[in-house]
């Protein structure tokens, strides 16, 4: 079974930004596409615990339905929709969470390196310039 969180990750990794709309206890993940089309992932009412997906158009209604979707079928449905609507998918190499972790790690490395270099320079300067005693008049 596919959870809503996993569905959001799959949608985002395929360059689809879903909006989450909740009607009562039912959540809908709605992704707006070109020319008024939308891709909707919601709870499958005919199969409890599963999700389903729809390709919807405001004038024509639901065009395609995918029932009991899992990770693989959701990815295939997204690719099918992108092919039908001729949308070029730019798959992300890294998602936003991974980018944040990488940025924090690089910042930590930079700060640590700066501290080490600064401490080394101060230590070197202290060794090279011994204190000169003051001359008494």
């Amino acid at each position: 079974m596919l959870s809503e969180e996993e569905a959001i990750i799959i949608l985002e990794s395929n360059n689809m930004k879903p909006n989450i709309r909740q009607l009562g206890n039912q959540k809908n993940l709605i992704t707006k596409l070109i020319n008024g089309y939308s891709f909707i992932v919601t709870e499958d009412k005919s199969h409890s615990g599963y999700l389903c997906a729809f390709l919807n158009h405001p004038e024509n209604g639901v065009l395609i339905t995918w029932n009991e979707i899992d990770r693989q079928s959701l990815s295939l449905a997204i690719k099918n929709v992108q092919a039908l609507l001729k949308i070029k998918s730019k798959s992300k190499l890294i998602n936003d969470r991974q980018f944040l972790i990488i940025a924090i790690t690089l910042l930590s490395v930079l700060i640590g390196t700066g501290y080490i270099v600064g401490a080394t320079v101060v230590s070197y300067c202290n060794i090279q310039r011994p204190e000169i005693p003051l001359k008494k008049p």
Side-chain angles (χ1 to χ4, degrees):
M1 290 191 331
L2 179 68
S3 70
E4 291 173 353
E5 291 79 21
E6 292 171 321
I8 291 171
I9 291 169
I10 292 171
L11 287 166
E12 288 177 347
S13 68
N14 284 287
N15 211 21
M16 298 178 106
K17 299 283 185 191
N19 292 321
I20 300 171
R21 294 206 178 125
Q22 188 158 353
L23 300 170
N25 62 351
Q26 182 180 3
K27 268 189 192 175
N28 295 327
L29 305 175
I30 302 173
T31 303
K32 298 290 183 185
L33 304 171
I34 60 172
N35 298 330
Y37 289 95
S38 57
F39 186 71
I40 302 168
V41 177
T42 187
E43 183 181 335
D44 194 341
K45 292 179 183 176
S46 61
H47 299 95
S48 180
Y50 286 94
L51 297 178
C52 62
F54 303 99
L55 177 62
N56 191 25
H57 191 271
E59 295 173 4
N60 302 328
V62 175
L63 302 174
I64 302 173
T65 303
W66 293 270
N67 292 319
E68 295 184 44
I69 58 174
D70 58 9
R71 289 175 191 86
Q72 184 179 7
S73 60
L74 179 58
S75 296
L76 291 173
I78 291 169
K79 292 188 186 331
N80 189 6
V81 167
Q82 290 172 339
L84 285 172
L85 299 179
K86 297 180 182 169
I87 300 171
K88 294 184 179 179
S89 174
K90 299 176 189 172
S91 60
K92 289 183 172 182
L93 294 176
I94 56 173
N95 62 26
D96 295 336
R97 291 178 188 162
Q98 291 170 335
F99 179 75
L100 180 63
I101 291 169
I102 291 170
I104 290 172
T105 303
L106 287 175
L107 183 62
S108 299
V109 167
L110 274 171
I111 291 171
T113 304
Y115 176 78
I116 291 170
V117 168
T120 304
V121 168
V122 167
S123 172
Y124 179 77
C125 289
N126 286 339
I127 291 171
Q128 293 297 323
R129 300 182 76 205
E131 292 185 25
I132 301 172
L134 295 173
K135 293 182 181 179
K136 290 186 178 182

